[in-house]
Amino acid sequence: MSVTLASAESTPFEIAQAETPADAHETPADAHAAQPAGEVHTETGVAHGEEAGSGVFPPFDQTTFASQLLWLAITFGLFYLLMSKVVIPRIGGILETRHDRIAQDLDEASRLKAEADAAIAAYEQDLASARTKGNAIASAARDEAKAKADAERAKIEASLQDKIAGAETRIAEIKAKALADVGTIAEETTTALVEQLIGSKATKAEIASAVKSVAGK
């Protein structure tokens, strides 16, 4: 009765563990050790007994020098063909294209420089021509202004001469009239003085002769 209860209380995991064969607990290392010594490993192609036989790095293994040199020569030849047939021509084409582009740019720069020099020369020539024309216009304006000024001055001087001549004529007339009046006044004054001094009247001819003689002195 006790055995039956113990069996009934056991979990399914314990039952499965109890039914597992003893050889199911073997590790991969045990399985590897169980393989025959002369069997070739399926992944590396090397016999199981030779996997850890030598610790030499494969490129330094003297037994593979010939194959390494052969593959080196083949690789170098392929690399040389690739460089000489593909890479170098492309690089040369790129350099030639850049050289042509640089030459075109230099030619364009030279052309633009020549055009700029020509434009500067034309500008300087136009500027010099404008200066010359401006000087000529200024000189003509000065000459014209001077001619107008001379004409105006001559006109003014002629007008002044006419006015002076007219003034001198009027002055001469006024002077002659004044002198005539002075003579008359002198004759009248002389006549009055003679009458007061000598008590008799003198003739007009005598008085005029006396006044003229005094005026002539």
Side-chain angles (χ1 to χ4, degrees), residues 38-62:
E39 187 176 354
V40 178
H41 199 283
T42 58
E43 296 180 358
T44 61
V46 182
H48 290 286
E50 297 178 357
E51 284 184 351
S54 62
V56 181
F57 187 58
F60 297 153
D61 191 359
Q62 297 180 359

Side-chain angles (χ1 to χ4, degrees), residues 143-205:
D143 294 340
E144 185 178 359
K146 184 178 180 181
K148 288 182 178 180
D150 292 340
E152 291 292 334
R153 184 176 62 185
K155 185 177 180 181
I156 292 171
E157 289 178 353
S159 177
L160 289 176
Q161 291 294 332
D162 294 340
K163 289 180 179 181
I164 291 171
E168 289 178 350
T169 302
R170 288 194 297 272
I171 291 170
E173 292 176 355
I174 294 170
K175 184 179 179 181
K177 185 177 180 181
L179 290 176
D181 293 339
V182 169
T184 302
I185 294 169
E187 289 177 359
E188 291 177 356
T189 304
T190 304
T191 301
L193 290 174
V194 169
E195 287 179 356
Q196 290 179 3
L197 291 175
I198 62 176
S200 63
K201 294 182 178 180
T203 62
K204 291 182 177 180

Side-chain angles (χ1 to χ4, degrees), residues 53-197:
S54 62
V56 181
F57 187 58
F60 297 153
D61 191 359
Q62 297 180 359
T63 59
T64 60
F65 275 0
S67 62
Q68 291 182 24
L69 292 175
L70 176 61
W71 283 110
L72 177 63
I74 293 172
T75 305
F76 180 77
L78 293 176
F79 181 73
Y80 177 78
L81 290 175
L82 178 65
M83 291 293 293
S84 61
K85 299 296 183 181
V86 179
V87 178
I88 294 177
R90 288 185 179 180
I91 295 175
I94 293 172
L95 293 177
E96 186 68 22
T97 302
R98 290 186 177 180
H99 181 271
D100 294 339
R101 185 175 298 173
I102 291 171
Q104 291 177 359
D105 292 340
L106 291 175
D107 294 338
E108 184 69 14
S110 299
R111 185 181 65 81
L112 294 176
K113 184 177 182 299
E115 291 180 357
D117 293 338
I120 292 172
Y123 171 76
E124 291 179 350
Q125 184 176 1
D126 293 340
L127 184 61
S129 177
R131 287 177 178 174
T132 302
K133 187 180 293 184
N135 293 330
I137 293 172
S139 179
R142 285 195 301 269
D143 294 340
E144 185 178 359
K146 184 178 180 181
K148 288 182 178 180
D150 292 340
E152 291 292 334
R153 184 176 62 185
K155 185 177 180 181
I156 292 171
E157 289 178 353
S159 177
L160 289 176
Q161 291 294 332
D162 294 340
K163 289 180 179 181
I164 291 171
E168 289 178 350
T169 302
R170 288 194 297 272
I171 291 170
E173 292 176 355
I174 294 170
K175 184 179 179 181
K177 185 177 180 181
L179 290 176
D181 293 339
V182 169
T184 302
I185 294 169
E187 289 177 359
E188 291 177 356
T189 304
T190 304
T191 301
L193 290 174
V194 169
E195 287 179 356
Q196 290 179 3
L197 291 175

